[in-house]
């Protein structure tokens, strides 16, 4: 996860000591090492890897799509889905990055294939062009994974007047899903997986989405802005699931866990946190991609719609994550903000 923290070291040490501000869920993860053998209903848990949860699953003939394919959990998910035989549409900010990711996960011994696309989330025309190129290929989409995201932008940044976490993490995916919903619905059992976070209820504003502050101009903190964007991910999945309830398509939201991505590693070093100690409470990218891959591919998930998953199992989220009225309002506001880029007003 991109973590542009501007926290100075002293602040960080205080915060890390209380385990409550920079990484508010670390305390919740602290018992992670002790509970690894606790059986969970799916048979998988916090230490399962993407390769383990997809072992024996043949994705030959399936088409998947993932945003943010070049790094972290997105890259690992791309790698494992192609390994299991899927043809993956791999989206990245630039075509060069997407091409490099595709080249490194395909080749001899890999059953699947990967096709690169450029999709810059701060440029809605880029999302529109990407989605339309994909639609022109004429394939159904069995699995659509909204994964790309940013975290902890230290200063308020705006995209067309809207706060940047909200744009990249939520509105961009709202447009992409809107423009590709028909090919997902045309698949026999289409699945939409929204990569959210438990930050949705641990860091979001107390009142939920601040509809009167989507510009961030009234108040801005990186942690709350990220939490709000992740709450938007959860509410988007909830409302999407409601709208899909009479179709064969499902939509769910996933918390991958706190994951040791490149940026997380640099952040720990910058702040002189012992990476070995941190590794005990932070997942590897392969463990982080496990819940995404589980929800995207496991047969048992087909009956789950509008659910929140952690550690490869359904979990009960807190905060406003189940607030259907807020989800409905978010949908309407998102439509207003992206109207020029949507192909249909509503599904
Ligand atoms: N890592 C964690 O601890 C953690 C915890 C909870 C939830 N998550 C969620 O997991 C997802 C993946 O995060 P990660 O940890 O794998 O992070 P990462 O390693 O930083 O990867 C993020 C991906 O998003 C892409 N991205 C960023 N800005 C973009 C933009 N403007 N347009 C298009 N793509 C953009 C990045 O592209 P570039 O490489 O070009 O920047 C990269 O491919 C995110 O939704 C994140 O919120 C992560």
């Amino acid at each position: 996860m991109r973590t542009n923290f501007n926290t100075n070291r002293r602040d960080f040490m205080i915060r890390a000591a209380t385990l409550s501000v920079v990484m508010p869920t670390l305390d919740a993860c602290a018992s992670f090492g002790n509970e690894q053998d606790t059986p969970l209903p799916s048979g998988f848990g916090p230490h399962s890897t993407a390769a383990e949860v997809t072992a024996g699953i043949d994705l030959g003939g399936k088409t998947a799509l993932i945003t943010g394919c070049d790094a972290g959990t997105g890259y690992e998910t791309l790698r494992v889905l192609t390994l299991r035989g899927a043809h993956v549409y791999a989206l990245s900010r630039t075509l060069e990055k997407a091409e490099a990711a595709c080249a490194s996960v395909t080749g001899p011994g890999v059953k699947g294939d990967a096709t690169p696309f450029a999709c810059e989330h701060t440029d809605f025309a880029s999302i529109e062009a990407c989605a339309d190129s994909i639609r022109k290929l004429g394939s159904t989409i069995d699995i659509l994974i909204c994964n790309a995201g940013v975290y902890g932008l230290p200063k308020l940044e705006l995209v067309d007047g809207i706060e940047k976490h909200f744009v990249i993490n939520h509105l961009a995916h709202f447009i992409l899903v809107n423009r590709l919903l028909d090919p997902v619905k045309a698949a026999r059992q289409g699945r939409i997986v929204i990569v959210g976070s438990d930050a949705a209820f641990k860091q979001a504003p107390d009142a939920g989405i601040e509809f009167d502050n989507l510009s961030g101009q009234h108040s801005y903190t990186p942690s709350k802005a990220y939490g709000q964007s992740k709450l938007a991910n959860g509410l988007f999945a909830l409302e999407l699931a409601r709208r899909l309830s009479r179709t064969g398509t499902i939509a769910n939201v996933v918390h991958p866990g706190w994951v040791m991505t490149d940026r997380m590693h640099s952040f720990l070093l910058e702040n002189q946190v012992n990476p070995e100690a941190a590794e005990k409470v932070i997942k590897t990218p392969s463990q982080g991609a496990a819940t995404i891959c589980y929800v995207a591919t496991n047969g048992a998930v087909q009956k789950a719609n509008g659910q929140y998953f952690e550690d490869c199992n359904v979990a009960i989220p807190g905060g406003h994550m189940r607030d259907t009225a807020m989800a409905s309002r978010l949908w309407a506001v998102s439509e207003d903000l992206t109207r020029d880029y949507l192909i249909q007003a509503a599904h």
Side-chain angles (χ1 to χ4, degrees):
M1 178 174 50
R2 197 148 298 281
T3 44
N4 295 318
F5 297 100
N6 65 349
T7 320
N8 68 35
R9 181 170 177 270
R10 183 176 169 280
D11 279 353
F12 175 79
M13 297 316 284
I14 293 166
R15 291 173 185 193
T18 60
L19 296 173
S20 64
V21 175
V22 175
M23 288 181 276
T25 51
L26 271 182
D27 50 347
C29 296
S31 59
F32 177 72
N34 300 327
E35 64 192 17
Q36 60 183 312
D37 297 320
T38 306
L40 293 168
S42 73
F44 301 109
H47 292 270
S48 300
T49 65
E52 285 164 2
V53 304
T54 56
I57 295 178
D58 181 4
L59 297 179
K62 301 270 188 203
T63 301
L65 179 152
I66 185 157
T67 63
C69 75
D70 59 89
T73 54
Y75 177 77
E76 178 63 6
T77 302
L78 167 67
R79 188 186 74 79
V80 170
L81 294 183
T82 53
L83 194 64
R84 300 294 176 229
H87 181 179
V88 185
Y89 299 152
L91 279 54
S92 188
R93 273 208 263 212
T94 66
L95 190 57
E96 293 71 27
K97 280 190 173 188
E99 283 171 345
C102 291
S104 74
V105 299
T106 53
V110 176
K111 285 189 288 177
D113 201 359
T115 303
F117 292 91
C119 186
E120 168 53 64
H121 284 203
T122 57
D123 176 2
F124 291 172
S126 160
I127 304 167
E128 180 180 27
C130 173
D132 290 357
S133 304
I134 290 168
R135 284 172 71 95
K136 278 190 193 135
L137 297 176
S139 169
T140 56
I141 299 175
D142 300 279
I143 301 164
L144 192 157
I145 305 172
C146 297
N147 165 78
V150 284
Y151 176 67
L153 300 171
K155 288 185 184 156
L156 174 62
E157 291 181 60
L158 302 180
V159 179
D160 291 337
I162 304 295
E163 191 281 316
K164 199 171 180 182
H165 291 93
F166 193 79
V167 170
I168 293 175
N169 299 356
H170 168 59
L171 288 180
H173 285 128
F174 185 81
I175 296 170
L176 189 73
V177 169
N178 168 278
R179 297 193 80 84
L180 293 176
L181 197 51
D182 286 341
V184 179
K185 283 164 86 175
R188 201 168 64 82
Q189 293 187 323
R191 294 183 182 198
I192 298 171
V193 183
I194 312 285
V195 182
S197 171
D198 66 355
F201 46 95
K202 294 181 174 171
Q203 293 173 238
D206 291 344
I209 305 288
E210 293 180 334
F211 290 104
D212 60 351
N213 187 34
L214 293 181
S215 67
Q217 305 282 20
H218 297 316
S219 65
Y220 177 80
T221 64
S223 171
K224 270 194 187 172
Y226 177 69
Q228 173 164 274
S229 74
K230 291 286 127 180
L231 174 58
N233 286 158
L235 294 175
F236 175 39
L238 190 65
E239 176 64 12
L240 186 58
R242 189 188 70 74
R243 288 168 184 252
L244 291 170
S245 58
R246 291 172 191 227
T247 72
T249 305
I250 56 169
N252 293 289
V253 62
V254 163
H255 170 52
W258 287 90
V259 184
M260 187 64 87
T261 57
D262 288 350
R263 187 65 191 102
M264 176 72 86
H265 191 73
S266 313
F267 168 71
L268 295 173
L269 290 177
E270 281 160 20
N271 291 283
Q272 299 183 19
V273 177
N274 179 350
E276 279 179 19
E279 272 166 17
K280 290 186 181 145
V281 294
I282 296 180
K283 294 185 181 189
T284 64
S286 186
Q287 291 168 336
T291 308
I292 302 172
C293 288
Y294 175 77
V295 174
T297 65
N298 194 285
V301 174
Q302 196 55 44
K303 288 187 181 146
N305 190 27
Q307 299 295 323
Y308 168 81
F309 286 78
E310 276 187 22
D311 297 333
C312 305
N313 284 277
V314 172
I316 309 294
H320 296 275
M321 286 281 278
R322 311 299 304 170
D323 186 333
T324 52
M326 193 176 288
S328 166
R329 185 173 176 197
L330 175 69
W331 188 283
V333 169
S334 302
E335 270 184 348
D336 276 350
L337 292 171
T338 61
R339 188 165 296 285
D340 291 347
Y341 299 91
L342 303 181
I343 54 172
Q344 300 169 53
H347 285 272

